[in-house]
Amino acid sequence: MNTSKLVAKAKKGNNRALQELIDTEKTKLYKMAYLYMKNEVDALEVFQETVYKALTSLKDLRNDTYFSTWITRILINTAIDQLRKKKRVIPMERDILESKAPSYMNRESESDLLDAIKSLDEKYKTVLILRFYKDYTIKQIAEFLECPEGTVKTNIHRGIALLRDQLKEVIVNE
């Protein structure tokens, strides 16, 4: 069944349809929450808060076909809110971070890349995650973040440049 029909059913109170919607998005949402929060406990908290907010405001979703974009936006805003509330940085040694990382992050090169992405400013992290992890187009990201396409392109290019510099340092230091 397509997303629009599931959303329509969920809006009418069909819990099974709502569960199906969440099941299709949960892995992507958790990965994104983990990239923002940098630890499993906080990522799960953000994920749960996102699902709660989505449940309570599903009726406000205007276009049912944009459910994925809508819930992703809720997650990003929730993660940023949580980070602002905590205003803390948890320095972790690489081996500790790798031991806490879920199994889908096992490869060393992915770990270096994820470490680098996590250290970026929010504006760069957000556009890079949306572009390369969620496969959104520049236009979709611009609509999603409500900013000009040029700004999105600039942030992607600057984010990639920062990642390139960070990853060069990792290679040199090893």
Side-chain angles (χ1 to χ4, degrees):
M1 188 175 293
N2 73 22
T3 304
S4 302
K5 291 179 182 177
L6 284 173
V7 172
K9 284 184 175 185
K11 282 182 176 180
K12 292 177 183 174
N14 184 325
N15 290 332
R16 178 169 274 140
L18 185 59
Q19 182 65 42
E20 243 181 275
L21 287 167
I22 298 300
D23 284 347
T24 60
E25 297 294 322
K26 70 182 176 188
T27 303
K28 291 183 271 185
L29 292 172
Y30 174 76
K31 286 179 182 180
M32 188 173 289
Y34 190 88
L35 287 171
Y36 273 94
M37 303 312 293
K38 302 176 183 156
N39 70 64
E40 190 174 342
V41 173
D42 290 342
L44 286 171
E45 186 179 325
V46 166
F47 175 77
Q48 289 173 343
E49 183 70 19
T50 299
V51 171
Y52 173 76
K53 287 178 179 178
L55 291 174
T56 58
S57 61
L58 185 62
K59 64 189 177 309
D60 299 332
L61 177 60
R62 286 182 235 136
N63 188 335
D64 295 351
T65 58
Y66 292 118
F67 176 79
S68 179
T69 304
W70 175 76
I71 199 166
T72 301
R73 186 73 206 157
I74 291 173
L75 182 121
I76 290 171
N77 288 335
T78 303
I80 291 171
D81 287 347
Q82 290 284 351
L83 289 171
R84 283 186 189 139
K85 284 180 190 174
K86 292 184 180 191
K87 285 190 179 181
R88 64 184 168 111
V89 176
I90 303 173
M92 287 188 162
E93 296 300 321
R94 181 177 172 162
D95 56 336
I96 294 171
L97 183 62
E98 287 175 352
S99 71
K100 292 182 179 278
S103 60
Y104 62 81
M105 296 182 199
N106 281 343
R107 292 185 299 205
E108 192 168 311
S109 63
E110 281 186 8
S111 179
D112 290 342
L113 179 60
L114 290 173
D115 287 343
I117 289 172
K118 290 176 195 174
S119 69
L120 294 175
D121 287 346
E122 296 303 322
K123 63 183 178 182
Y124 303 128
K125 184 189 308 185
T126 300
V127 294
L128 290 175
I129 289 170
L130 291 174
R131 181 69 185 108
F132 298 110
Y133 282 88
K134 295 282 277 180
D135 291 327
Y136 284 12
T137 64
I138 302 292
K139 184 177 181 179
Q140 289 172 322
I141 296 170
E143 291 171 3
F144 189 75
L145 298 176
E146 298 173 350
C147 67
E149 287 181 36
T151 302
V152 172
K153 288 178 185 177
T154 299
N155 288 341
I156 288 173
H157 290 293
R158 287 182 183 163
I160 290 171
L162 290 169
L163 285 176
R164 190 175 293 127
D165 291 343
Q166 286 182 22
L167 293 174
K168 280 181 188 174
E169 288 176 20
V170 168
I171 292 169
V172 169
N173 291 334
E174 287 183 352

